Amino acid sequence: MSDHVRDLDLVHEATERLLTAAAKKDETAVTGSSRLPAWTRGHVLAHLARNADALVNVLAGRPMYASAEARDAEIEQGAHRPLAEQLDDVRETAARFQHAAAEYPDWTRSVELRGGVTDTASRIPFRRLIEVELHHVDLGIGYELEDLPAEFTEREIAFLADRFAGNAAVPRIQITANGVGQWSTGRPDGDAVSVIGPAADVLGWLAGRREGAGLECDGPLLPVLPSL
């Protein structure tokens, strides 16, 4: 089982790191393009706030979002607010998530996420940590994949490798993050394709944040992964 108590501490630290960095930007920064297609930084911040509330819903046994359309509409509606209002929203929703987690009675329970995905409640804090850390990078304000804590990078690579494991659309892949570890993913059959490189580049490729220019592959082409 995941250490939800420690992960909640890491979520708090990552959130404060993001808020501190974003608060140093001027008002025009929020309307600038993020690193995510078609999203401004305001969209990223609005998504982070709504995701915190969505995970409160999960812990309460409610649907994560009313619908995919409602989720998208809330993000779009919140994306155009002033920076200070955006940051207050991220801060306040983060506090609500921490409060809900502090009162959660049974971390061994199975919970349902978006799209019918289920997981153990104890992994919810790490899922929130993923949102905060990767979207901090997505803001494009000076926080890079190389700046992510080493422990987080290793855990997220393992998380994503597990997510693609058994996927018939993904060839069998042997992943090596230099100096960090090895993972197998994709189909269980067939010859394995070896992908090797720095941990930040491996994570970026798995998470759809980099195309894999920093990676070595013993196949003709680096495998194309499905969208997350």
Side-chain angles (χ1 to χ4, degrees):
M1 185 187 303
S2 298
D3 185 348
H4 64 274
V5 175
R6 184 165 186 274
D7 283 346
L8 286 167
D9 287 340
L10 295 175
V11 170
H12 176 72
E13 293 170 7
T15 302
E16 289 301 310
R17 189 159 55 241
L18 183 152
L19 289 168
T20 298
K24 295 177 181 178
K25 302 302 175 181
D26 60 33
E27 189 59 44
T28 61
V30 75
T31 61
S33 297
S34 76
R35 292 175 173 172
L36 296 178
W39 270 18
T40 66
R41 295 188 182 100
H43 286 89
V44 175
L45 293 170
H47 165 63
L48 276 170
R50 301 289 69 78
N51 173 263
D53 279 341
L55 291 177
V56 170
N57 288 336
V58 169
L59 293 178
R62 299 187 293 266
M64 190 169 182
Y65 297 100
S67 66
E69 294 77 14
R71 170 190 175 272
D72 294 346
E74 287 185 345
I75 293 170
E76 184 62 35
Q77 182 179 12
H80 309 286
R81 297 169 297 174
L83 179 59
E85 188 175 338
Q86 295 270 17
L87 299 184
D88 284 345
D89 194 16
V90 173
R91 185 177 295 106
E92 290 164 7
T93 53
R96 285 200 290 271
F97 171 70
Q98 292 283 347
H99 178 74
E103 296 190 338
Y104 196 68
D106 184 3
W107 290 97
T108 66
R109 289 179 181 173
S110 179
V111 294
E112 185 171 340
L113 297 147
R114 186 182 175 201
V117 173
T118 59
D119 204 348
T120 305
S122 63
R123 294 227 296 177
I124 295 300
F126 182 66
R127 284 180 174 271
R128 176 59 182 175
L129 183 61
I130 294 169
E131 294 287 327
V132 176
E133 289 285 27
L134 290 187
H135 286 316
H136 190 169
V137 175
D138 294 335
L139 285 172
I141 56 175
Y143 191 67
E144 305 297 338
L145 292 171
E146 286 79 6
D147 298 318
L148 293 167
E151 178 191 354
F152 170 80
T153 297
E154 181 176 356
R155 290 179 66 189
E156 176 62 349
I157 291 172
F159 181 88
L160 291 170
D162 182 66
R163 184 166 179 172
F164 290 122
N167 190 322
V170 179
R172 185 181 175 194
I173 307 172
Q174 182 72 28
I175 300 168
T176 301
N178 295 335
V180 177
Q182 291 186 329
W183 299 264
S184 294
T185 194
R187 295 194 300 267
D189 58 334
D191 294 333
V193 176
S194 175
V195 175
I196 302 173
D201 287 311
V202 170
L203 173 55
W205 170 61
L206 289 170
R209 266 65 179 184
R210 290 184 181 173
E211 296 182 356
L215 302 176
E216 298 178 6
C217 175
D218 65 358
L221 293 172
L222 189 68
V224 176
L225 302 174
S227 299
L228 295 172

